[in-house]
Amino acid sequence: MPARNMLAHLFKDDPLRARVREIIHDALGVHFTIDALSSDQLRIRLSPTPPPDVEQSLNAEAREFHSRAQYIKTASDGVQAFVGIVCATLSGDYKAILIDEPEAFLHPPLARRLGYELSRNLKEGGSLLAATHSSDFLVGCLQASTNVRVVRLEYSDGESRGRIVDSATLSKMFKTPLFRSTNVISALFHDGVVVTESDNDRAFYAEIYYRLSEQEKGLPSLLFVNAQNKQTIRDLVRPLREFGVPAAAVVDIDILKDGGSDWIQWLKAVRIPNAMHVGLAHLRASLHNIYKSHGMDMKEGGVDQLDRRDQAAAHELFDQLQQYGLFVVRNGELESWLAELGIRSKKSNWTVEMLDRLGGNPTDSTYVRPSEGDVWQFMRSVVAWVKIASRKGVD
């Protein structure tokens, strides 16, 4: 007689039940078992000890074992969800599995494990279609299979659009230590990404954005990540743009020192048309020579050190870069922001002191709130580029 439901199928199929038990024990540290003692239904129980050989019997040993095991309905929502999905997907000969937000109720490691198990245990020729907001679930899928295709859905300016993420590129990105260390795969689930030169930059700009979002409504969901240095920003931005993710690069003004092929790599990373490369390269070189010939440290004062006409030329260059999501700190460097707060340290000490000076309690009179100009306006320009559907540099 064929099994009438999922549990009946698992109850009759010893090898399949053992496989389910192995997955659940590895993930949750408990042993899956099916209690048949009730006259009208089968019940899932979770035991701290392995089931005896008489698991499916009705004798005293089986009754004692099941009485000590936890009934699945008394477990947490996450445990119920994980066990239920594993049982449902492995119990049938499915060619296609459709599942909506499988990560619901699961903490990140369990969401990753679920993605791994669902991908690994697909029947030959089968397909898994999952709608998810979880980078952990996606990473689990990537760990189990090289044939993962992602369709990234975006909604902006009243328009919806979808973009297929190339599976080979995605797999390569996941295997790259730089990408894994920054958890940049999470970018696929955000409205946009801001890539900074270092963790100090990331911490500061993320805090600025947080305060803006407290005060100004309708801001996009942004993920802030940091590269290892200025050059590796390009390694993060380029593939994200290929995936259709609005990835903004934030750099200090000393990007002007990057001449020759380095400069061209910047333009390519943010997808500036080749026809513009020569003109932008010439303007960059001219500005760099002005700073160098006058012995000026461009990080100390930035554009304001130049005379009026050269300032206009610098703003022209940076305006064009900004249209393509490359944002240059025109007043020099990270440490030039919010000078009125009087932070004189450099690098990590500056960041620590600045974050402390910004304050942590919004009800405190010393709490620094967004205003016009300075870094607040700089971050608003990043937000504006991410929000506009017609942004340049992202297909």
Side-chain angles (χ1 to χ4, degrees):
M1 180 177 178
R4 294 178 298 173
N5 55 47
M6 171 188 75
L7 286 186
H9 184 79
L10 289 173
F11 188 77
K12 294 177 64 176
D13 192 325
D14 293 342
L16 184 58
R17 190 172 65 258
R19 177 69 186 126
V20 169
R21 179 173 296 143
E22 177 187 1
I23 292 172
I24 291 173
H25 183 261
D26 286 347
L28 301 174
V30 292
H31 298 271
F32 170 85
T33 185
I34 298 177
D35 175 3
L37 297 176
S38 174
S39 61
D40 61 343
Q41 64 178 331
L42 298 173
R43 295 180 178 182
I44 296 176
R45 292 188 181 274
L46 303 173
S47 170
T49 59
D53 293 337
V54 293
E55 170 193 6
Q56 295 182 315
S57 173
L58 301 179
N59 64 18
E61 184 181 359
R63 293 197 300 272
E64 175 65 19
F65 168 75
H66 287 301
S67 69
R68 293 195 306 267
Q70 182 183 21
Y71 182 32
I72 187 66
K73 288 190 176 181
T74 67
S76 68
D77 290 339
V79 169
Q80 290 186 54
F82 184 88
V83 172
I85 292 172
V86 168
C87 289
T89 54
L90 268 69
S91 63
D93 187 21
Y94 303 118
K95 292 299 183 183
I97 298 172
L98 282 72
I99 185 167
D100 184 28
E101 298 193 14
E103 74 278 5
F105 307 113
L106 303 183
H107 58 81
L110 204 54
R112 180 176 298 196
R113 184 58 182 265
L114 182 62
Y116 177 81
E117 294 297 349
L118 292 184
S119 299
R120 185 166 70 113
N121 287 284
L122 281 174
K123 302 294 190 294
E124 185 176 353
S127 298
L128 168 68
L129 285 79
T132 180
H133 293 89
S134 171
S135 60
D136 292 287
F137 180 82
L138 175 56
V139 167
C141 295
L142 290 169
Q143 289 176 325
S145 173
T146 59
N147 189 26
V148 176
R149 176 169 293 182
V150 174
V151 178
R152 183 176 182 272
L153 302 178
E154 177 190 359
Y155 182 83
S156 59
D157 286 355
E159 297 181 9
S160 298
R161 56 183 60 83
R163 185 185 182 95
I164 295 177
V165 177
D166 179 69
S167 58
T169 304
L170 183 63
S171 180
K172 180 180 179 182
M173 184 178 77
F174 170 70
K175 293 176 181 177
T176 302
L178 175 62
F179 283 85
R180 286 204 304 269
S181 67
T182 57
N183 191 30
V184 79
I185 283 183
S186 296
L188 296 174
F189 301 91
H190 288 75
D191 295 325
V193 182
V194 179
V195 185
T196 66
E197 296 185 27
S198 70
D199 189 54
N200 293 323
D201 301 66
R202 181 204 57 77
F204 174 71
Y205 289 118
E207 180 63 24
I208 294 302
Y209 179 73
Y210 173 78
R211 293 176 190 237
L212 279 178
S213 64
E214 280 187 317
Q215 184 169 297
E216 302 175 9
K217 303 303 180 183
L219 269 62
S221 168
L222 294 185
L223 174 69
F224 288 77
V225 300
N226 63 274
Q228 299 304 311
N229 51 46
K230 184 173 60 179
Q231 284 69 35
T232 51
I233 289 178
R234 302 187 301 239
D235 298 330
L236 296 177
V237 166
R238 184 182 287 110
L240 288 174
R241 296 281 186 95
E242 293 176 359
F243 293 161
V245 178
V250 175
V251 297
D252 292 341
I253 199 172
D254 62 352
I255 191 178
L256 292 175
K257 295 180 180 179
D258 291 354
S261 61
D262 279 344
W263 178 253
I264 298 303
Q265 288 304 311
W266 276 111
L267 304 185
K268 288 182 176 180
V270 296
R271 304 172 76 86
I272 293 179
N274 292 340
M276 298 174 62
H277 289 187
V278 173
L280 293 176
H282 179 72
L283 185 50
R284 180 217 64 83
S286 297
L287 290 168
H288 180 230
N289 287 336
I290 291 171
Y291 279 108
K292 188 175 181 179
S293 62
H294 289 80
M296 294 184 290
D297 182 350
M298 62 181 70
K299 283 192 171 186
E300 296 294 333
V303 172
D304 288 344
Q305 298 180 79
L306 304 173
D307 65 31
R308 180 175 55 83
R309 288 177 296 180
D310 291 334
Q311 283 186 32
H315 287 304
E316 173 66 23
L317 172 63
F318 297 148
D319 284 347
Q320 291 192 61
L321 298 179
Q322 187 167 304
Q323 291 181 45
Y324 288 86
L326 178 53
F327 294 83
V328 179
V329 179
R330 304 186 192 200
N331 43 315
E333 60 181 342
L334 174 72
E335 292 88 342
S336 64
W337 294 121
L338 301 176
E340 68 275 12
L341 297 182
I343 309 299
R344 297 288 179 258
S345 302
K346 292 291 185 179
K347 298 189 180 297
S348 59
N349 288 335
W350 182 91
T351 303
V352 171
E353 291 182 35
M354 175 57 74
L355 294 178
D356 181 65
R357 179 65 181 82
L358 287 172
N361 186 355
T363 64
D364 197 310
S365 61
T366 61
Y367 185 81
V368 179
R369 300 182 182 280
S371 60
E372 299 302 317
D374 209 87
V375 70
W376 311 108
Q377 192 56 43
F378 181 76
M379 186 53 62
R380 289 187 184 103
S381 66
V382 175
V383 170
W385 178 81
V386 170
K387 287 184 67 175
I388 187 170
S390 59
R391 71 184 80 84
K392 296 180 179 180
V394 183
D395 293 338

